[in-house]
Amino acid sequence: MTQTRTTRLERGRSALGPALELVHTGQAPTRAVLTAELGVTRATAGAVAGELEALGLITVDAHPTAPVGSQGRPSHRLAVDPDGPVALAAQIHADGYRAALVGLGGRLVATAPGCGIVDADPAQIISEVVRAGAELLHASGRRCVGAGLAVPSAVAEPDGTALNPLHLAWEAGAPVRDTFRACLAEARVTGPADGAPVTGFAANDLNVAALAEYRHGAGRGARHLLVVGTGHHGVGGALVLDGRLHTGSSGLALEVGHLTVDPDGRPCHCGSCGCLDVETDPAALFAAAGRAPVSGGGSLLSQAGELIRDRYPRDARVREAVERLIDRLGLGLAGLVNILNPDRIVLAGLHRHLVEADGERLRGVVADRSLWGRSGSVPVLPSSLEHSSLVGAAELAWQPVLDDPIGVLGG
């Protein structure tokens, strides 16, 4: 019996990563579904699930019960272990930072908001957010599988440098990934197996938000997912193709913020005018509405969202401003649809509030201005994750575990 179980386990070792990803993304709620998705025998699926449970990653219902009136043997339910390891996630934006612990399944275990001023020295602010995350981690007593950092800039590969942090006072080319790793080592954030410092990853905030939406949010089930969003300043875009981020040859793909949507529009940081970056972000909304954000009233993004929720459509000036932003966003999306032909668009940040305010108008602009929109509408949905960039930053850290659970966590 022992030899048979060992054989099954060895046969299923190569399936550990795919099995974990299925549970992680909610695609295998039961062992029967896991068996079918992996294309293995029930015995092998049982051995795989047992190994993942032994690693502290998932739970397996020991006494499954069948719904009333159902037939056949009830299947064991699978779930992410609520007490399992976590990834340390960090996000830096123009209005401050936030740190979090994120478990499998994209679950936020703990969060810590940070300062409202971003230092011109990237090492200073990265050190602060890492310390905040380390405090969360040490208080939780959880194992840490890795760490991810989301920044409002394209991050060039393979160097890990912030190429265009236009909305921060950082110099172009700041070595954000190396700095992040050095700060993790200084804060003694260690890995689960050997006590060495965890591996730190860094990427553009919209890129990782797209990955999170694809795995856990409004993008689940899409094959060619386009995500466009605006956070505190500026606009970003990302493309997920069959589960993988399309980052281009050096990590700089989908810089959609500099599509021109109004040649006579507002001056952009890039030197042009009327870019999506400055025509559809929170600052553009306040300017078009003839209002100013309240000092000390929260981040620019949160105040812009509140303005739409509280004043649209009854306030004529706010209504006109929202419609202006929707029309310009629709033009930009139409151009992207013509080039990329996505099967779904998810809008994040302030753009989520725009589609929620008047999705019919936005979808109409996209359909009227795009070839593919006329031949068949492209679903345009609001993002469904509250902290998608944090969840996405954690996905970077979880990926090595999904690829090789035993290699990262130990047998």
Side-chain angles (χ1 to χ4, degrees):
M1 178 66 73
T2 301
Q3 180 61 42
T4 301
R5 184 180 183 281
T6 300
T7 301
R8 288 172 183 161
L9 180 57
E10 291 300 329
R11 191 182 302 134
R13 278 276 164 89
S14 62
L16 284 176
L20 181 60
E21 184 162 349
L22 288 168
V23 178
H24 174 58
T25 55
Q27 298 178 76
T30 67
R31 204 169 75 181
V33 175
L34 183 69
T35 301
E37 290 291 331
L38 294 177
V40 298
T41 65
R42 279 170 42 188
T44 297
V48 168
E51 180 74 358
L52 293 175
E53 184 177 36
L55 289 170
L57 295 170
I58 72 170
T59 60
V60 182
D61 183 4
H63 305 288
T65 57
V68 176
S70 64
Q71 297 181 346
R73 180 188 301 178
S75 181
H76 295 271
R77 297 200 65 80
L78 309 178
V80 168
D81 190 334
D83 300 317
V86 294
L88 190 159
Q91 180 186 9
I92 296 172
H93 51 74
D95 291 329
Y97 66 73
R98 184 178 291 271
L101 304 181
V102 185
L104 279 169
R107 298 173 301 111
L108 283 172
V109 174
T111 61
C115 69
I117 299 175
V118 176
D119 197 278
D121 178 9
Q124 177 65 32
I125 194 69
I126 292 174
S127 177
E128 288 183 25
V129 72
V130 167
R131 285 200 301 269
E135 289 176 6
L136 289 176
L137 184 62
H138 296 151
S140 74
R142 303 284 191 105
R143 293 181 296 165
C144 184
V145 299
L149 172 66
V151 295
S153 167
V155 176
E157 294 296 342
D159 300 326
T161 55
L163 199 66
N164 59 341
L166 298 178
H167 304 291
L168 302 175
W170 296 356
E171 292 185 3
V176 290
R177 188 174 60 205
D178 288 348
T179 302
F180 185 48
R181 291 176 175 177
C183 291
L184 289 167
E186 183 179 351
R188 298 182 181 178
V189 180
T190 57
D194 54 10
V198 297
T199 301
F201 302 87
N204 171 261
D205 52 6
L206 219 291
N207 270 356
V208 295
L211 190 58
E213 288 290 341
Y214 175 82
R215 290 182 173 176
H216 309 293
R220 288 171 67 172
R223 285 196 59 203
H224 299 86
L225 174 66
L226 172 64
V227 177
V228 176
T230 174
H232 301 262
H233 292 278
V235 174
L239 186 66
V240 183
L241 301 175
D242 290 324
R244 297 292 178 183
L245 275 171
H246 174 69
T247 56
S249 61
S250 56
L252 309 179
L254 272 292
E255 282 291 300
V256 305
H258 300 289
L259 287 173
T260 299
V261 292
D262 183 0
D264 300 318
R266 305 173 70 198
C268 183
H269 313 278
C270 71
S272 186
C273 289
C275 294
L276 203 62
D277 210 52
V278 293
E279 293 291 333
T280 66
D281 75 345
L285 175 67
F286 279 104
R291 293 171 176 264
V294 178
S295 177
S299 71
L300 194 63
L301 174 60
S302 64
Q303 291 192 53
E306 289 170 5
L307 182 63
I308 295 174
R309 289 192 301 270
D310 296 343
R311 298 290 180 176
Y312 181 85
R314 59 188 177 87
D315 185 311
R317 190 75 184 270
V318 172
R319 183 178 66 250
E320 291 173 4
V322 168
E323 290 175 351
R324 174 188 172 92
L325 262 68
I326 285 175
D327 290 347
R328 279 153 181 73
L329 175 61
L331 285 175
L333 293 178
L336 293 170
V337 167
N338 285 335
I339 296 169
L340 301 173
N341 188 26
D343 59 7
R344 192 179 309 173
I345 299 172
V346 170
L347 301 180
L350 180 65
H351 293 169
R352 178 181 72 173
H353 298 299
L354 294 178
V355 72
E356 289 172 341
D358 195 345
E360 184 176 351
R361 183 185 184 99
L362 177 61
R363 295 181 185 98
V365 175
V366 174
D368 289 344
R369 295 285 185 154
S370 64
L371 174 64
W372 304 116
R374 293 171 186 165
S375 63
S377 62
V378 181
V380 181
L381 305 175
S383 62
S384 61
L385 300 177
E386 191 62 32
H387 298 291
S388 55
S389 290
L390 278 174
V391 174
E395 289 297 313
L396 300 177
W398 274 111
Q399 191 59 54
V401 183
L402 298 176
D403 293 337
D404 184 8
I406 289 180
V408 175
L409 299 176

